[in-house]
């Protein structure tokens, strides 16, 4: 199952919060790892709001960052199993980091173990990320 920890559940519950900045501010100085943040955000229905939270979280200079590279490192650890979950994660990361360099993206994804992330799941993530960063994100992802 998707990485399930109290921290991830807490992030998931924050979707109900109207004010993203306030939600992020309430977590200040917490030792939340990128894994927990991304695992919680994948449970949100709205990818754009999840990306807004991720961007705000990273900009708040948390103790443990959640930049593009750390998001890519977190993906295998949060054990997303379906192509739909991978596409959602890709859309969130793409919307949060629209300036992401194609070369970096290919390098980071190339480090994923094929035994942990299948080719179809990887492709779903990459297509959603590229679509989101180019402004053609599928809101149904």
């Amino acid at each position: 199952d998707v990485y399930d920890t109290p921290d991830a559940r807490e992030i998931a519950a924050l979707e109900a919060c109207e004010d993203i900045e306030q939600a992020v501010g309430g977590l200040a100085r917490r030792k939340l790892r990128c894994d927990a943040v991304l695992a919680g955000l994948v449970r949100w229905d709205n990818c754009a709001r999840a990306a807004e939270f991720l961007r705000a979280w990273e900009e708040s200079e948390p103790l443990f960052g959640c930049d593009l590279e750390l998001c890519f490192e977190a993906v295998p650890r949060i054990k997303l199993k379906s192509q739909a979950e991978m596409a959602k994660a890709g859309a969130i990361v793409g919307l949060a980091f629209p300036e992401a360099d194609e070369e970096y993206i290919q390098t980071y994804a190339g480090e994923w173990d094929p035994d942990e992330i299948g080719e179809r799941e990887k492709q779903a993530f990459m297509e959603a990320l590229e679509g989101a960063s180019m402004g053609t994100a599928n809101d149904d992802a």
Side-chain angles (χ1 to χ4, degrees):
D1 197 22
V2 175
Y3 188 85
D4 192 33
T5 65
D7 287 344
R9 287 192 296 272
E10 183 179 1
I11 298 290
L14 288 173
E15 182 173 17
C17 194
E18 292 289 317
D19 184 343
I20 295 275
E21 295 293 328
Q22 186 180 349
V24 168
L27 297 171
R29 293 177 299 286
R30 290 275 306 281
K31 293 180 180 179
L32 292 173
R33 294 197 175 275
C34 193
D35 309 33
V37 174
L38 195 57
L41 293 177
V42 169
R43 297 173 189 183
W44 288 28
D45 291 327
N46 185 322
C47 287
R49 277 185 48 84
E52 186 184 342
F53 182 96
L54 181 58
R55 228 182 357 260
W57 176 251
E58 178 58 18
E59 287 169 3
S60 75
E61 298 181 2
L63 202 57
F64 298 120
C66 211
D67 63 12
L68 182 66
E69 184 175 6
L70 290 168
C71 284
F72 268 85
E73 289 174 4
V75 169
R77 290 197 295 261
I78 62 176
K79 304 201 182 325
L80 301 173
K81 292 296 180 207
S82 71
Q83 287 174 261
E85 288 175 333
M86 288 293 285
K88 193 171 206 177
I92 292 168
V93 173
L95 289 166
F97 303 104
E99 70 290 343
D101 181 273
E102 176 73 24
E103 209 172 301
Y104 284 125
I105 290 168
Q106 293 299 333
T107 301
Y108 296 149
E111 293 172 0
W112 288 345
D113 183 339
D115 292 336
E116 289 180 13
I117 297 179
E119 194 53 44
R120 287 202 307 267
E121 289 74 18
K122 180 177 174 178
Q123 188 175 353
F125 180 94
M126 298 300 279
E127 286 175 2
L129 185 148
E130 288 163 16
S133 60
M134 291 188 305
T136 57
N138 179 355
D139 290 332
D140 302 327

